[in-house]
Amino acid sequence: MNHARTPPPHTARVSTASSSQSGFCPVRLQRLRKVLQAEVQRQRLPGAVMLIARRGHTAVFESLGQQNPATSVAMAKDSIFRIYSMTKPIVSVAAMILVEQGRLLLSDPVGKYLPEFASQQVCHRVDGHVKLQPVRRGASIHDLLRHTAGLTYEFLGSAPVQRQYAQARISSRDRSNAELSTTLAGLPLMFEPGTVWEYSRASDVLGRVLEVISGQTLSEFLRQTVLEPLGMDDTWFTVPPQHLHRVAEPFARDPDGGMQMRVYNVDDAAKLESGGSGLLCTASDYARFLQCMLNQGELDGTRLLSPHTIAHMTADHLGNIPVNSGPSRELLPAGYGFGLGVAVRQSLGVAATPGSPGSYFWAGLGGTSFFVDPRQDLFGILMVQAPNQREHYRMLFANLVYAALVT
């Protein structure tokens, strides 16, 4: 088979500008390149693709290092990455399309579409003992989008509910979305819906809601509503065989000596189309999605959402709802609230990385990350497969991008 690389299909539609025209200092952008290249040379990072756009123009789109360290295949601009939780914003946009069509309300109970969620129980500690009690109110679609549905992730801790998730093999990719939904609904909630922000499998449940409303698989619905309209031809739950040679891989061993997180196998016959973590994507495809968001819901004459809906999605939806301590607190940094699928910056300070109030970001467990800064008309994407070092590179990338922005 001929594996010669061709240019990413949509790069011709993405206009480019010199770094100075986009407000970046060329010397400081070169520093960004040198820092990431040094990480590759130190063998802490296999390789990377970075894409930075401002004012509707691409200022930086480069690849470096290796796509697959086991085979020494070079990273390319069209390399494909497991984006894990960067799936969530795409599924959230698809849900809001249904809202705009009048087919879904954020206030709707999840049980309206998934009857198995109509009579859930929540885990409480009473007199030192764990007891199950009926929920005071069922989770809503709003709760799914903002991660206040009472669900959790099994890898976030060892609380009784999280242990039950692990025992039920809730991370198995052998279940369909319908089967996962039924299994999750049969397990107790960790919190009363609407009371605590806990990062969770809520987006997986949301993906199943979209299937029920649309009568399509999640992949079909996303293809129809988001991916095809935006020309995201290199985004899939299952990579076609002819493109498997483009998939980026992590190191076999953690470069820092820790326990290496295993990424999922992209060429197995998985039944699950995870709305929270299942997509694979290229940097140029995800850039088209982010440019649509930055354009307030429109790209190349195609409008997915109204500007008011985009503003609603990227506002804080937590208010006084507390964030659970531990890993969830680490995932939602100080200075950030949470919108409908993205973390939203509340103020200029407080957070450990620079950014404007109203900017938003999210990242994936495999190492990918993005941020969007509407005030600066800017977004940045860093695509890597470095699971254990993901937070370090997310923050490093953001720091260096803002350091290079001078006007």
Side-chain angles (χ1 to χ4, degrees):
M1 182 180 293
N2 181 9
H3 290 334
R5 300 305 260 266
T6 57
H10 298 293
T11 51
R13 288 195 245 158
V14 179
S15 58
T16 59
S18 68
S19 53
S20 57
Q21 287 176 317
S22 297
F24 288 98
C25 169
V27 174
R28 288 169 173 261
L29 282 180
Q30 187 61 26
R31 179 192 299 163
L32 165 61
R33 298 181 184 97
K34 287 181 178 179
V35 168
L36 290 180
Q37 186 62 53
E39 295 295 283
V40 170
Q41 291 171 346
R42 292 172 56 204
Q43 296 190 327
R44 291 197 72 250
L45 185 65
V49 178
M50 56 179 173
L51 196 156
I52 305 166
R54 191 173 189 222
R55 300 168 182 163
H57 302 286
T58 301
V60 175
F61 185 19
E62 298 181 14
S63 62
L64 62 154
Q66 296 178 329
Q67 175 184 281
N68 188 338
T71 60
S72 298
V73 172
M75 188 69 80
K77 290 180 181 180
D78 68 339
S79 292
I80 299 165
F81 295 81
R82 303 165 183 86
I83 63 171
Y84 283 93
S85 289
M86 281 169 54
T87 304
K88 291 179 171 73
I90 295 176
V91 171
S92 298
V93 163
M96 297 308 292
I97 289 173
L98 288 179
V99 171
E100 287 200 342
Q101 292 174 351
R103 302 166 70 186
L104 179 68
L105 292 176
L106 296 190
S107 57
D108 285 341
V110 176
K112 176 179 178 180
Y113 305 99
L114 306 178
E116 60 267 31
F117 281 88
S119 55
Q120 284 193 286
Q121 293 184 308
V122 62
C123 188
H124 284 288
R125 285 193 175 273
V126 180
D127 298 328
H129 299 285
V130 174
K131 293 186 177 181
L132 298 182
Q133 298 177 350
V135 294
R136 291 193 289 268
R137 73 157 177 87
S140 66
I141 302 301
H142 194 194
D143 289 318
L144 294 180
L145 281 157
R146 66 182 182 177
H147 292 278
T148 58
L151 299 162
T152 187
Y153 268 120
E154 63 282 359
F155 52 79
L156 291 183
S158 57
V161 172
Q162 291 161 333
R163 292 199 299 270
Q164 288 195 46
Y165 274 40
Q167 290 164 2
R169 295 181 62 248
I170 209 68
S171 63
S172 170
R173 301 176 74 232
D174 295 331
R175 294 184 180 96
S176 66
N177 288 7
E179 291 166 339
L180 174 62
S181 175
T182 300
T183 303
L184 270 174
L187 298 173
L189 294 175
M190 193 158 167
F191 301 103
E192 290 280 356
T195 65
V196 176
W197 190 87
E198 169 78 343
Y199 197 50
S200 72
R201 292 196 172 274
S203 296
D204 290 332
V205 178
L206 181 64
R208 177 56 187 158
V209 171
L210 302 189
E211 289 185 333
V212 170
I213 295 174
S214 68
Q216 299 172 292
T217 64
L218 184 58
S219 58
E220 291 169 342
F221 184 65
L222 292 183
R223 180 66 54 192
Q224 175 185 310
T225 58
V226 179
L227 304 181
E228 284 187 356
L230 294 185
M232 296 173 66
D233 299 330
D234 274 345
T235 303
W236 310 277
F237 283 110
T238 301
V239 178
Q242 67 270 29
H243 295 293
L244 287 173
H245 66 282
R246 295 166 50 198
V247 175
E249 300 291 349
F251 288 124
R253 296 183 179 180
D254 176 26
D256 292 329
M259 181 70 70
Q260 176 73 310
M261 188 199 97
R262 292 179 60 188
V263 296
Y264 59 80
N265 190 349
V266 299
D267 57 3
D268 61 12
K271 292 172 64 178
L272 185 69
E273 294 182 345
S274 169
S277 62
L279 287 175
L280 294 99
C281 187
T282 61
S284 56
D285 262 23
Y286 213 87
R288 293 186 65 79
F289 175 72
L290 294 185
Q291 190 65 62
C292 178
M293 294 288 288
L294 194 54
N295 291 352
Q296 298 184 308
E298 181 273 338
L299 183 69
D300 293 344
T302 296
R303 178 164 294 283
L304 294 191
L305 295 170
S306 86
H308 302 284
T309 298
I310 296 293
H312 188 55
M313 290 185 68
T314 57
D316 174 50
H317 283 251
L318 297 185
N320 295 324
I321 296 174
V323 175
N324 189 30
S325 59
S328 278
R329 177 71 275 177
E330 296 171 10
L331 290 168
L332 191 60
Y336 283 85
F338 201 81
L340 304 181
V342 290
V344 181
R345 189 166 189 129
Q346 302 286 71
S347 60
L348 189 61
V350 183
T353 53
S356 308
S359 61
Y360 50 94
F361 84 92
W362 207 240
L365 194 63
T368 61
S369 64
F370 76 86
F371 67 87
V372 178
D373 188 332
R375 292 197 183 185
Q376 294 295 334
D377 199 5
L378 164 72
F379 69 80
I381 302 169
L382 180 65
M383 294 291 214
V384 300
Q385 298 284 241
N388 292 19
Q389 289 75 33
R390 59 188 180 274
E391 189 64 9
H392 171 76
Y393 288 117
R394 179 186 74 80
M395 298 178 73
L396 179 67
F397 179 66
N399 282 340
L400 292 172
V401 172
Y402 277 101
L405 187 63
V406 292
T407 59

